[in-house]
Amino acid sequence: MILTDEIPELNKKLENKSPREILEWTVAEFGDDLAMSSSFQTQSMPLLHMVTRIKPDLRIFFLETGYHFWETLIFCARVATDWNLNVIDLHRDSRWDVFVRQNLRSLPLDDPNLCCYINKVQPMQKAVIGLKAWMTGIRRDQTAERAHAQILELENDGLIKVNPLLNWTKADVTRYIEENHLPGHPLLEKGYRSIGCAPCTVAVGASDPDRAGRWVGRGKTECGLHTELFRQKEWVVR
Ligand code: ADX
């Protein structure tokens, strides 16, 4: 068991390790009390590929928001089948169903923060209950918030979030994909370099940052899985 005050020292040690070494350490430390989440984009492939080599039965949470591009659902199903992954779909709490059905088109456009909370943050908060660790694929080079992330982060109720790819750059991800001949999300070649839900994602130009097509014009860069919102026990109406 890891004590809270051991985390800074462990982080110092893990900073110099490769994603594969961090993954091996995490699996050895947490065993079956660990799960990971993946958004099944092209850039998700390296970590998933490492999992197939190190802990093939690891639970992999996929947030089935109901708003994905069909290409994402097909890609996820294909990779899960080809690599024999233990993918578990997470859905919003059914208490939201009537509200979401009544506001299906307007919800992501009028209130993307609430939409992400209902369809991503809350289902993940529920899924990690009882786990000791939750692994994600965020990188420091992706957003201003993620630039300050740590490899091990303490969440509510003692849960440890592990981010093995934190120090990898986009170039590292691309190199790993090429070297290992990993598959790519079908929308990548159409200019979708970072892919979330369909109502909130557009293709970007060659000179734009990868995430420029996420929540365009909404002043939003994060869904909330990797911000303070994740530690919030309920939605706060502003
Ligand atoms: S997002 O906040 O912009 O949507 P991004 O696509 O970069 O996130 O993914 C970062 C990490 O968030 C992923 O490695 C994964 O752990 C988690 N994540 C994001 N979207 C999903 C999803 N639909 N299902 C499962 N995990 C997800």
Side-chain angles (χ1 to χ4, degrees):
M1 192 184 133
I2 293 177
L3 301 172
T4 307
D5 53 10
E6 291 173 336
I7 292 180
E9 198 51 40
L10 280 169
N11 267 330
K12 259 193 221 159
K13 283 189 194 151
L14 293 171
E15 273 295 321
N16 304 313
K17 306 274 183 215
S18 68
R20 194 192 170 92
E21 289 169 327
I22 298 172
L23 181 53
E24 281 165 348
W25 175 88
T26 307
V27 167
E29 183 67 38
F30 300 107
D32 288 329
D33 294 319
L34 166 75
M36 103 172 223
S37 53
S38 178
S39 54
F40 282 86
Q41 308 182 36
T42 304
Q43 56 183 310
S44 317
M45 293 303 108
L47 196 54
L48 288 171
H49 184 250
M50 290 176 213
V51 164
T52 64
R53 306 286 166 96
I54 295 168
K55 186 162 172 55
D57 65 340
L58 182 69
R59 277 168 291 176
I60 297 162
F61 296 144
F62 175 66
L63 289 154
E64 213 316 25
T65 62
Y67 286 102
H68 283 296
F69 291 100
W70 64 264
E71 286 90 341
T72 301
L73 300 178
I74 298 223
F75 185 59
C76 174
R78 197 186 108 204
V79 175
T81 305
D82 290 353
W83 292 2
N84 203 18
L85 297 173
N86 183 10
V87 177
I88 297 167
D89 281 354
L90 304 183
H91 298 272
R92 68 172 169 262
D93 191 295
S94 58
R95 278 174 301 173
W96 293 103
D97 282 355
V98 172
F99 171 73
V100 171
R101 226 175 289 130
Q102 284 170 344
N103 298 281
L104 198 65
R105 282 179 188 281
S106 58
L107 175 63
L109 305 172
D110 291 348
D111 201 339
N113 287 322
L114 176 59
C115 192
C116 282
Y117 179 75
I118 293 173
N119 292 298
K120 295 185 79 170
V121 176
Q122 201 181 48
M124 188 64 75
Q125 286 174 327
K126 250 183 154 176
V128 297
I129 292 174
L131 291 176
K132 290 196 177 129
W134 162 42
M135 192 161 65
T136 89
I138 60 166
R139 307 196 315 269
R140 288 201 175 111
D141 73 350
Q142 287 175 316
T143 70
E145 288 88 348
R146 295 180 194 183
H148 304 288
Q150 299 298 314
I151 293 174
L152 303 182
E153 295 184 326
L154 190 63
E155 301 288 335
N156 280 344
D157 306 320
L159 176 78
I160 295 182
K161 185 175 164 192
V162 189
N163 304 310
L165 287 189
L166 214 55
N167 281 324
W168 260 18
T169 61
K170 185 187 169 188
D172 294 320
V173 171
T174 307
R175 191 177 323 111
Y176 188 98
I177 288 171
E178 285 170 4
E179 281 173 6
N180 293 282
H181 312 289
L182 304 186
H185 190 296
L187 287 178
L188 180 64
E189 60 191 25
K190 295 185 176 158
Y192 292 81
R193 297 210 302 275
S194 172
I195 302 170
C197 292
C200 295
T201 305
V202 296
V204 294
S207 58
D208 291 324
D210 280 359
R211 292 178 65 91
R214 305 290 303 274
W215 302 288
V216 179
R218 321 272 173 82
K220 177 173 164 73
T221 56
E222 293 281 353
C223 66
L225 286 175
H226 311 293
T227 65
E228 259 320 295
L229 185 61
F230 191 76
R231 296 185 192 108
Q232 236 169 257
K233 298 274 186 193
E234 58 190 39
W235 179 249
V236 179
V237 180
R238 293 182 181 85

